[in-house]
Structure formats: C-alpha cells, structure tokens
Amino acid sequence: MASKLGAVAIVLAVMAVVLALNPPTHLLRPPPIPGAHDCLHASKVVPVGGTHGPESLTFDPSGGGPYAGVADGQILKWEGDERGWVNFAFTSSQRKECTRPFAPELEHVCGRPLGLRFDKKTGDLYIADAYFGLMVVGPDGGLATLVANQAEGEPFRFTNDLDIDESEDVIYFTDSSTTYHRRQFLNAFLSGNRTGRLMKYDKSSKGLKVLLRGLAFPNGVALSKDGLFLLVAESATGRILRLWLKGPNAGKFDIFADLPGYPDNIKRNSRGEFWVALHAKKGPVLRFLLSNSLIGNFALRLPISLQKLHLLLVGGKAEATAVKLGKEGEILEVVEDKEGKTVQFISEVEERDNKLWIGSVMRPFIGIYDLN
Ligand SMILES: *[C@@H]1O[C@H](CO)[C@@H](O)[C@H](O)[C@H]1NC(C)=O
C-alpha cells in the first residue's frame, strides 16, 4: 500500500511538472482512429437562436423539429428557415433570472434539459432534466411536469438521457451521479465516484425500478429495434453496456462495445444500428487520469480553471468524433471533424432523412451532415 501511494505521489509530481512546463500539445493528443473518415467538417451549422448547448435533438411523431434542450432551460423547436427556433417548453416555473444563454450557476433554478424523446403513441415529450429529474410535457408544450426525481430514497443529481419502449409503456433513463450535479461533470467523470444508475419507469403502474447501480457516469440510453436489449453508455469507462430485457439472459448485462473514446448519447437508426457521439477520444491524458481515482482527484484540485482542465483532458484540441455500431456492437464506421473546423465536442448524432443531426452540449449550434 505504502509503495503504491509512493508511486502515485511520484507520478503526480511528474504530471504537475509536465503541466507546469506546458508541453507541446501534440504529445497529449489522442492517437488517430484507424479507418476514420474525416468528413464532419462539411457539416452545416445552425445556431440555436442566441442560446447554447443543444445536447440532445429529437423529432415529434409527425416529423416536426428538431427539438433541442439548451443551457438556459428552454426546449426549442425548429420551425423552418423563416420562423427559426421557437420556445416549445421549459422545465422550471421560475424563469425570471433565466435570460443568459449560459449560466451554469443558475442551472438548478432554470433547469437543464438533456435527453429528449417523444412518446410516439401519445405525442408527449419526455425530458431528462439534469437537475429536476424525469419530466413530461404534452404535445402543445409549455411547462413540463415531474415524473420522478428520486429512486430508492436517493434523489437524482444528474438525470441525463432516456428512451421509451412504447410497446411496453416503459421509460428507461439514467442518472449519471447521486453525488455530483451536471455543472460538476468533470468531478463525476474523474473522481471514481461510481454512483450512476439506470432506472425503469412503468407508465401504467407509475412504478420505478433501479435496474443497474454503481455505474461510472451512465449517459446515453437506446433500446434495440427488437426491444430485446437496452444500451447504456458508460462515459467514464468508454464502454457501452448491453442490458438484456427479454429472453434467457433477461436482467443480465454485458459489454456491448469498448469504444475508442468516451461516449455521450446513443441514437438508433431505422436499420437498427447505433450512432454514438464521443465527447473525446481516448488519449494519453485521460487514460492516465482515469487509471486511478487518486490521480483523477488530484487533477480536479489543480489550480487551473475547469475550462483549462477540460481542454487538457481532451489533449488540447476541440474536435468531433462519432461511431456507428452494428447490432452486435461491432464498429461499422467512424466519422470525425479531426481538426474541429466546424463541429466540436459533440454529444449526439441522429441519422434521419439521410442526414446526421448533430448536437453539442458545449456549442451554440447544431450540425447537419449530408450523408449523400
Ligand atoms: C461518492 O462520494 C460521496 C460524497 O463524497 C460519498 O459519500 C460516497 O461514499 C461516494 N461513493 C462512492 C461509490 O465512491
């Protein structure tokens, strides 16, 4: 134990020196992913009307949208080139102070809608609000109402994403941490505090069940096309977990994919494949910081701003990467904006109408990439 701590101390000291010397960032950059297509720089960007951070995008059952939750707590709807984005819904009734496009210190007041999905049967929009929990708003929008904000007596701190199984009338959703809020996402990511959970909400009985616990930053959720399994992105391990819902293995989970980066949201396409947006690729800095929670916690205490720490983690460069997975978890395709020319830090990719619709939790626009 003592020698282990000694080794960690030496490693930390070396790291601090390296940091202080401000090394050439090319040494810190993640290695390229073999076979990746550097094409996403050809995306078109559409600003989200002076707001910021459209993490998740969704379309209503009649194809309207996209809809996007943004950093000031609004859920916006795109109504075409002429009208642009209009306010569709919000999760907080106290919106007086919520006028700034990006104010993390007000997120617990204004709400922070992350995952969005329409129930195709009812037209209701379900919302994973990072601060308030699972919420719902009717087809006409307005103020959302609460569905659930705790499970097993433990409040949600960082509700993140959801998917709906309309045939079973159930909703699956994640809470990334019971310790840290969304604005402390770097703590949730680096501290080794595995308190994330996956829940199932039954609409008819209103019952709530915890399906998986002790997860390392569970994030995006997607149901398989046949409803046999559910995927959960585990951001801090860079993996996708598969939870079997039906069949002989029901209730068991395994590793569906070990990714070349740290995943955010997952969206299934019409062929039953899955697009996974990677917040960052696996590179030397993050591999090192995540290798031991002492190192991760040390990094969180470095006297640098969160923005600086974040940029250091990703190897000094904002870029975009997404992976398409087959039904067995095999990587079918990797697309990138390698130099981050057009899109960066993407959080979601949805394939629809032969386009990729791209969300980003850290940028003031969505991206649209034409697959033709
Ligand atoms: C997470 O952090 C909280 C607050 O420090 C602590 O009470 C809890 O035991 C930690 N859980 C794990 C699994 O590390």
Side-chain angles (χ1 to χ4, degrees):
M1 184 66 191
S3 69
K4 196 176 167 196
L5 278 178
V8 168
I10 291 167
V11 162
L12 291 182
V14 169
M15 196 181 91
V17 170
V18 168
L19 270 177
L21 293 176
N22 210 359
T25 47
H26 70 267
L27 291 180
L28 302 177
R29 287 197 66 185
I33 301 172
H37 300 292
D38 186 14
C39 58
L40 292 183
H41 57 82
S43 304
K44 174 179 129 182
V45 300
V46 179
V48 276
T51 65
H52 191 94
E55 202 250 2
S56 176
L57 304 173
T58 199
F59 293 83
D60 63 35
S62 45
Y67 296 72
V70 290
D72 67 5
Q74 296 183 80
I75 294 158
L76 304 173
K77 180 187 179 188
W78 175 253
E79 292 216 325
D81 288 331
E82 206 136 294
R83 295 200 63 199
W85 297 95
V86 299
N87 180 291
F88 175 73
F90 37 95
T91 52
S92 168
S93 57
Q94 290 164 321
R95 296 201 43 83
K96 226 172 45 218
E97 291 172 88
C98 308
T99 53
R100 278 147 59 199
F102 182 61
E105 68 281 9
L106 287 176
E107 286 182 346
H108 62 290
V109 177
C110 303
R112 181 58 172 109
L114 296 178
L116 304 175
R117 291 286 204 289
F118 276 94
D119 182 321
K120 292 181 198 74
K121 278 202 322 211
T122 61
D124 291 336
L125 174 64
Y126 282 85
I127 306 155
D129 184 286
Y131 291 79
F132 301 149
L134 182 66
M135 305 189 78
V136 64
V137 70
D140 297 326
L143 180 61
T145 54
L146 183 67
V147 176
N149 61 4
Q150 58 92 19
E152 299 178 336
E154 192 87 60
F156 304 142
R157 275 266 150 74
F158 190 167
T159 325
N160 204 321
D161 193 31
L162 71 133
D163 202 1
I164 303 177
D165 186 343
E166 280 96 355
S167 65
E168 303 275 333
D169 253 358
V170 297
I171 299 168
Y172 299 96
F173 65 102
T174 48
D175 182 40
S176 298
S177 174
T178 55
T179 308
Y180 298 110
H181 286 302
R182 196 214 71 86
R183 57 181 161 243
Q184 302 164 299
F185 72 96
L186 282 179
N187 296 69
F189 192 68
L190 292 176
S191 67
N193 193 271
R194 289 172 154 262
T195 54
R197 295 180 290 174
L198 170 74
M199 271 69 56
K200 170 182 174 177
Y201 175 74
D202 188 317
K203 279 173 63 191
S204 39
S205 72
K206 297 191 165 34
L208 189 64
K209 207 173 148 192
V210 178
L211 299 179
L212 295 174
R213 49 177 69 75
L215 301 178
F217 205 139
N219 200 325
V221 187
L223 196 66
S224 66
K225 198 174 175 185
D226 54 15
L228 287 186
F229 62 83
L230 182 80
L231 298 184
V232 185
E234 205 185 27
S235 290
T237 57
R239 301 188 306 199
I240 305 287
L241 308 177
R242 167 175 53 188
L243 176 68
W244 291 97
L245 300 172
K246 291 176 188 157
N249 291 323
K252 295 196 183 124
F253 75 94
D254 51 21
I255 295 164
F256 184 69
D258 197 349
L259 299 169
Y262 304 94
D264 202 324
N265 288 342
I266 315 171
K267 283 273 173 112
R268 197 183 72 223
N269 67 15
S270 59
R271 294 183 298 283
E273 301 155 343
F274 302 95
W275 278 103
V276 183
L278 303 182
H279 182 81
K281 287 192 275 198
K282 285 182 180 165
V285 183
L286 272 173
R287 278 185 198 275
F288 174 61
L289 294 182
L290 290 166
S291 65
N292 184 306
S293 62
L294 288 176
I295 304 176
N297 283 298
F298 177 85
L300 288 165
R301 287 184 187 86
L302 287 173
I304 55 175
S305 70
L306 283 182
Q307 283 87 339
K308 269 222 167 107
L309 178 60
H310 179 259
L311 202 61
L312 176 74
L313 298 185
V314 301
K317 193 149 180 78
E319 53 183 21
T321 315
V323 172
K324 186 167 78 171
L325 299 175
K327 295 174 188 113
E328 301 298 328
E330 69 281 20
I331 293 184
L332 299 176
E333 199 178 341
V334 181
V335 292
E336 294 185 298
D337 181 349
K338 214 172 181 172
E339 298 300 321
K341 285 182 199 147
T342 311
V343 284
Q344 306 93 17
F345 298 132
I346 61 177
S347 46
E348 183 173 289
V349 170
E350 169 150 8
E351 182 179 342
R352 196 184 166 87
D353 305 330
N354 233 7
K355 292 182 174 69
L356 298 181
W357 299 80
I358 301 169
S360 171
V361 72
M362 293 190 165
R363 286 295 179 265
F365 50 77
I366 67 165
I368 305 168
Y369 177 73
D370 210 323
L371 285 170
N372 290 313

